[in-house]
Amino acid sequence: MKTSSSIFFVSVLLVSVLTGVLSKPYFTDRVFYLYEDTYKFAGEQDHLVTYHSSTAGPVQVLTDDELHRTVIIDGQSYMIADKSVPYSTKFRVTYPNGHVYVVERIKQEGEEDYPPSALVSAAYPDYHFKRGMPGFLFLALGLLIFGWCSFRYEAFQDFMFRLFPQRLMYENPEPSDFYYFTSKVGGIVVMIGSIIVAFKAY
C-alpha cells in the first residue's frame, strides 16, 4: 500500500511539474488573433516586430513613429494611425486597396480580409493578452489529491467522517461499510472531476 501511494504521489508531482513547465508559455505569452490564428511575439529588429503563428504565416509590425504603425500580412501593408485624444481611443486603419476605417475601443468590425480591430490589436502590444486561467491547475491538483486520499486511505475517510455534523446525533458513531464504499466512489468521481477542472485552465 505504501509503495502504490508513493508511486501515486511521485507521479502526481512529476506530472504537475511537467505540466507547469510545458504550460508556462501558454499562460504567460501575450497573444492576439487574426481570424482563428493565434500570434505571439517572435522577435524584434530595429523598428520591425515579428509575430509567429503555428497555423499561418508571420505578421510583422513596423513602427514608423509613435503614432503610426504598419502591419504587414502576406506582403500587404495595412497602415494604422493613432488618432486618440484624452478619454477617447481611436485608430484609423488604411487597407492596401485604399479603404479607410475608424476603430474605436477595438470593437468595430469590417468586411475586409482582416477586421480593422484585429489589425489594431496586432499593431499594439497593449491589446495582446494572456490566455487561460492557471489557477484551475492548482485546483485540479488539490482535487486529485483529495480524491485519491478519499479513495485510498481509511484514516482519511475516518477523518472526513468526524467532520460530518450528523455524527453528533449519535453516541459513539462509527463509519459503516456503506460509508467507506461511498467514500471510495466519491474519491473516484472527484479524481475524474479534477481532470475536467484541469482542462478548464486552457
Side-chain angles (χ1 to χ4, degrees):
M1 182 173 177
K2 288 185 177 179
T3 302
S4 62
S5 297
S6 299
I7 292 173
F8 170 77
F9 283 110
V10 169
S11 299
V12 167
L13 179 62
L14 290 176
V15 169
S16 299
V17 170
L18 188 62
T19 301
V21 170
L22 295 179
S23 298
K24 184 177 182 291
Y26 183 89
F27 294 115
T28 57
D29 289 346
R30 296 174 66 86
V31 300
F32 64 90
Y33 292 97
L34 286 177
Y35 284 141
E36 299 298 320
D37 302 313
T38 305
Y39 288 86
K40 63 181 179 180
F41 178 83
E44 181 175 3
Q45 185 174 6
D46 295 328
H47 297 290
L48 186 67
V49 180
T50 302
Y51 298 93
H52 282 172
S53 170
S54 60
T55 56
V59 168
Q60 294 180 306
V61 177
L62 178 64
T63 303
D64 304 314
D65 56 48
E66 191 173 327
L67 298 177
H68 298 85
R69 300 188 184 197
T70 302
V71 178
I72 304 168
I73 306 172
D74 296 330
Q76 298 287 312
S77 296
Y78 301 80
M79 315 296 289
I80 315 289
D82 188 344
K83 297 297 183 181
S84 300
V85 294
Y87 309 108
S88 176
T89 301
K90 183 182 293 185
F91 299 91
R92 187 184 70 225
V93 181
T94 304
Y95 282 68
N97 59 14
H99 292 176
V100 177
Y101 297 86
V102 174
V103 178
E104 297 185 51
R105 294 185 298 278
I106 317 305
K107 288 185 179 178
Q108 181 176 329
E109 295 296 331
E111 298 179 354
E112 302 285 354
D113 288 341
Y114 300 100
S117 58
L119 294 170
V120 172
S121 294
Y124 292 88
D126 289 345
Y127 298 114
H128 301 176
F129 58 91
K130 296 178 181 179
R131 298 169 290 182
M133 293 177 284
F136 278 111
L137 290 179
F138 295 105
L139 177 60
L141 177 61
L143 289 173
L144 180 64
I145 293 172
F146 178 85
W148 173 257
C149 291
S150 296
F151 172 76
R152 188 70 176 164
Y153 301 115
E154 187 173 310
F156 185 80
Q157 295 165 354
D158 291 340
F159 171 75
M160 293 303 297
F161 178 78
R162 292 190 199 96
L163 295 180
F164 285 135
Q166 292 91 331
R167 72 179 186 84
L168 299 176
M169 299 169 57
Y170 303 95
E171 186 176 343
N172 299 323
E174 292 294 332
S176 64
D177 290 340
F178 180 72
Y179 169 78
Y180 288 120
F181 172 75
T182 55
S183 292
K184 290 180 181 293
V185 172
I188 293 172
V189 171
V190 170
M191 285 189 284
I192 293 172
S194 71
I195 297 172
I196 297 172
V197 170
F199 280 110
K200 294 283 187 182
Y202 301 94

